[in-house]
Amino acid sequence: MRNVAIYPGSFDPITCGHVDIVQRGLNVFDRIVVAIAVNPRKQTTFDDDERVAMICEAFPDDPRVEVVCFTGLLVDYCRRRGIKTVLRGLRALSDFEFEFQLASMNRRLTDEVDSIFMMTSDEHFFVSSSLVREVVQNGGDVTGLVPEPVRRRLLARFPPPPVT
Ligand code: ADP
């Protein structure tokens, strides 16, 4: 499956930075599999079903985008599905170091799967799921940083603090 890429991550929750990578990825690949890495030992703000729902809401009725959850090694999941390409986004130098390590480890595990990277857009270089959660938890506005349905779910999860 050469025209398919897998875009793995935590997506807790999906942000406009992630959406941008998927949209631009679709200029290169026919299909993108957005794959939520499920780690039972890692506490997340949104459970698997909520994270799947939020990604589906971000790409309504687009048959080119598939959303899945996987456990275990990404390369094993790719092999099971016959997927050869991993798509990742790069924001800053700090991302580069981690992504370089991850891609090198994956190549060490298998030569059947390779990684490609897309640079973040100007509007999204500072956007991360963790920072977005922190801003909302402290009553800040994340309009335009996450898809609107995600913003609503964040507000429901972290109601604004009373003004003092
Ligand atoms: P992880 O928990 O594995 O870091 P994330 O869900 O945070 O996964 O991100 C998945 C991928 O999307 C990673 O390659 C990450 O660098 C990339 N990414 C996250 N936010 C942005 C952004 N604002 N712009 C571009 N790429 C991003």
Side-chain angles (χ1 to χ4, degrees):
M1 287 216 286
R2 295 231 170 261
N3 291 324
V4 180
I6 190 164
Y7 180 39
S10 310
F11 305 106
D12 188 32
I14 187 167
T15 69
C16 290
H18 296 127
V19 171
D20 176 60
I21 295 291
V22 173
Q23 281 168 342
R24 287 164 51 213
L26 286 169
N27 295 328
V28 180
F29 297 98
D30 295 330
R31 284 177 44 222
I32 305 264
V33 178
V34 182
I36 300 170
V38 175
N39 180 349
R41 289 182 303 278
K42 201 167 142 188
Q43 189 78 24
T44 54
T45 298
F46 294 101
D47 66 26
D48 308 348
D49 291 343
E50 290 172 303
R51 284 182 284 160
V52 168
M54 285 186 280
I55 299 170
C56 291
E57 285 162 0
F59 303 98
D61 304 321
D62 191 336
R64 298 171 304 166
V65 180
E66 182 190 352
V67 185
V68 299
C69 293
F70 74 99
T71 51
L73 291 177
L74 174 66
V75 290
D76 289 339
Y77 182 77
C78 289
R79 272 203 289 237
R80 285 202 293 279
R81 294 278 314 259
I83 297 172
K84 309 273 182 212
T85 310
V86 176
L87 173 65
R88 296 282 285 181
L90 277 182
R91 276 162 300 192
L93 280 182
S94 50
D95 270 351
F96 176 82
E97 207 169 314
F98 177 66
E99 295 292 338
F100 185 38
Q101 199 179 5
L102 202 61
S104 304
M105 178 59 83
N106 284 337
R107 272 183 66 73
R108 172 69 196 251
L109 293 170
T110 180
D111 58 7
E112 290 169 35
V113 179
D114 219 330
S115 305
I116 72 154
F117 300 90
M118 279 195 162
M119 306 298 280
T120 185
S121 304
D122 291 355
E123 317 92 87
H124 302 123
F125 73 92
F126 59 93
V127 180
S128 71
S129 301
S130 55
L131 206 48
V132 159
R133 290 196 307 266
E134 193 153 335
V135 169
V136 174
Q137 283 175 54
N138 288 285
D141 182 13
V142 293
T143 304
L145 304 182
V146 292
E148 195 47 29
V150 173
R151 193 183 72 87
R152 287 198 293 270
R153 281 177 192 259
L154 279 163
L155 282 175
R157 182 63 49 91
F158 304 114
V163 183
T164 52

